[in-house]
Amino acid sequence: METGIKDFVRPVEASAITELLPAPPRVLALGEPTHGEDSLLDLRNTLFRQLVEGEGYRTIALESDCLRGLTVDAYVTAGEGSLDDVMQRGFSHDWGVSRANRELVRWMRDFNANRPSDDHVRFAGMDGPLEITGADSPRQALTGLHDYLAAHVDTDLLPCTPDRLDDLLGADAPWINQAAMTDPSQSIGRTPETRELRLLADDMVTLLETQAPHLAAVSSPDDRSRAHLYGRTAVGLLRYHSWMAGTSPARMARLLATRDEMMAGNLLALASRGPVLVHAHNSHLQRDKSAMRMWGHAKVEWWSAGALVSTRLGDQYAYLATALGTMKHQGVHAPPPNTVEGILHALPEPQCVIDAAQLNAAARHTAAVPRVSPYFGYAPLDPSHLPRIDGVVYVKDVPHD
């Protein structure tokens, strides 16, 4: 430990993060190696509060359903609904039961309570209406987009009537059939009706774009933003369902890539209105290719949302990974001994921010400082990805029952 590792370790606080970066990025992403670890979520809340209060960030995006997130945003900005109801209806992936997520939403509402609307911190889901076991019906997105257009443009321009849209959508049950994820024959993603819906979704999104000057004059920025969200989500969901029905060897890779493309579209849209703080799994935020194995498949690779956003925003996208010393719960075991997680117990700080670039530079000159590999929530990725991380936020082990 005589390698000078203490020279590039700082206590966890927002200033330690901003000092890693040449300028405040438009999108500041904080990744996690596994879901549901409360100590990391508490640390996220602390950092996000500091960055909102001290650095002017006014949007917080989590790895949750973007349409459900509208419910959370209405609560934190306007006080619509109760906190209990919002936590139940406003999150996907069962994230609403998280104590830390509840505390974050509560704090956002309190922060906004006595502020003007143009200084509110907004909430957003960055994910599509997707679960690992399947996808939602595109009904909410398609009907929401159609309703917005019908209220503001000549009905002769609309590609279909509400009744025709409803007929094509049919019942929701076939759309949300979880068996379709592992059995493509049970998916309705390539039926004639679904193919027509994809064309109609494309036509409505095109109408949204071609009528932009008129729509800007007759509707609010929030209404237009929501309409574009509906359009992105409708197109993405229909594309996702189409790949669920596919039998190509690339099926799973295309599903994962489609999901991350939806995430990237949402993040870029949020960034267009102001600086964004993001929290999601490392595999969705890293700049390099992500990889995982599931359901007996060979390793699947795809470009993450972070890689896509970074390509568009360049150094306006910053990514930090979070890591624990060891995790022997939730099916995640201790990392290999040749990763930095294994030696950080000797550091004086129980929580710290590590300059990844300096750490990697030290690793090239001495075998005593290995490279960081903070991805062990899924199949471990190549530690050479480290130079693509701006920093690592590290938390020592916490006891678990």
Side-chain angles (χ1 to χ4, degrees):
M1 301 306 298
E2 62 279 2
T3 59
I5 189 171
K6 296 177 184 179
D7 294 338
F8 42 87
V9 171
R10 302 288 183 270
V12 172
E13 55 188 12
S15 61
I17 289 175
T18 57
E19 288 172 6
L20 296 176
L21 309 170
R26 195 73 169 176
V27 176
L28 177 54
L30 185 67
E32 60 180 359
T34 188
H35 292 312
E37 174 47 63
D38 280 345
S39 62
L40 293 180
L41 295 179
D42 289 337
L43 182 142
R44 172 206 67 186
N45 288 356
T46 298
L47 289 176
F48 279 8
R49 286 195 297 267
Q50 292 175 356
L51 290 163
V52 167
E53 293 169 349
E55 300 296 330
Y57 284 90
R58 287 297 181 266
T59 298
I60 292 176
L62 303 187
E63 186 185 333
S64 183
D65 181 339
C66 57
L67 298 187
R68 294 193 189 190
L70 296 172
T71 298
V72 184
D73 188 57
Y75 174 77
V76 301
T77 56
E80 294 183 15
S82 68
L83 180 58
D84 286 343
D85 182 58
V86 165
M87 297 310 297
Q88 181 178 3
R89 297 191 300 112
F91 288 86
S92 58
H93 307 82
D94 293 326
W95 297 159
V97 301
S98 163
R99 172 193 54 77
N101 285 342
R102 184 184 184 90
E103 289 304 312
L104 178 65
V105 173
R106 188 201 306 275
W107 172 81
M108 292 175 71
R109 177 61 196 144
D110 290 344
F111 180 87
N112 290 334
N114 297 312
R115 292 175 181 269
S117 59
D118 61 358
D119 193 36
H120 281 172
V121 57
R122 307 289 298 268
F123 180 91
M126 66 174 281
D127 205 352
L130 307 168
E131 295 283 356
I132 196 169
T133 53
D136 278 2
S137 163
R139 181 182 304 278
Q140 181 183 355
L142 285 170
T143 57
L145 177 56
H146 190 280
D147 289 348
Y148 171 81
L149 291 170
H152 298 297
V153 303
D154 191 323
T155 55
D156 291 341
L157 296 175
L158 294 172
C160 67
T161 66
D163 288 343
R164 178 57 179 164
L165 195 60
D166 192 57
D167 288 343
L168 291 170
L169 284 164
D172 285 345
W175 291 103
I176 62 176
N177 178 13
Q178 294 186 357
M181 178 56 77
T182 53
D183 181 1
S185 68
Q186 297 201 43
S187 171
I188 65 169
R190 296 189 179 181
T191 63
E193 292 81 5
T194 304
R195 292 179 188 275
E196 185 173 345
L197 285 171
R198 291 187 73 182
L199 292 174
L200 292 175
D202 182 72
D203 285 344
M204 286 193 286
V205 169
T206 300
L207 185 59
L208 193 62
E209 297 292 347
T210 57
Q211 292 292 308
H214 168 69
L215 294 171
V218 299
S219 63
S220 70
D222 275 357
D223 286 347
R224 295 196 303 277
S225 176
R226 180 175 296 205
H228 282 280
L229 174 61
Y230 285 146
R232 290 193 306 275
T233 304
V235 170
L237 270 177
L238 289 165
R239 185 180 295 130
Y240 194 90
H241 278 287
S242 177
W243 278 107
M244 284 182 69
T247 57
S248 162
R251 175 179 181 266
M252 189 57 64
R254 292 303 297 263
L255 287 171
L256 292 166
T258 297
R259 180 186 179 193
D260 271 69
E261 191 276 333
M262 293 175 71
M263 291 182 177
N266 288 334
L267 290 180
L268 289 168
L270 294 171
S272 71
R273 74 185 190 194
V276 183
L277 298 171
V278 186
H279 184 257
H281 194 279
N282 288 327
S283 62
H284 295 305
L285 298 177
Q286 65 188 59
R287 293 185 179 93
D288 295 272
K289 269 192 173 181
S290 297
M292 67 183 297
R293 291 180 173 88
M294 59 189 302
W295 299 323
H297 288 271
K299 184 172 74 171
V300 180
E301 296 184 329
W302 75 101
W303 289 107
S304 73
L308 300 177
V309 172
S310 178
T311 299
R312 290 281 298 275
L313 297 185
D315 60 7
Q316 286 296 297
Y317 177 78
Y319 162 51
L320 300 104
T322 58
L324 286 167
T326 59
M327 292 186 293
K328 298 182 180 179
H329 57 290
Q330 299 182 4
V332 182
H333 301 288
N338 63 338
T339 59
V340 167
E341 290 90 339
I343 67 170
L344 286 180
H345 295 284
L347 293 174
E349 300 291 343
Q351 298 182 342
C352 56
V353 175
I354 306 165
D355 187 324
Q358 292 186 39
L359 186 62
N360 190 43
R364 284 194 289 267
H365 296 291
T366 174
V369 182
R371 295 172 179 241
V372 175
S373 178
Y375 302 101
F376 49 87
Y378 286 135
L381 302 183
D382 188 342
S384 66
H385 290 165
L386 175 61
R388 309 285 284 177
I389 304 171
D390 297 296
V392 180
V393 182
Y394 175 82
V395 180
K396 287 188 178 181
D397 265 355
V398 292
H400 292 273
D401 296 331

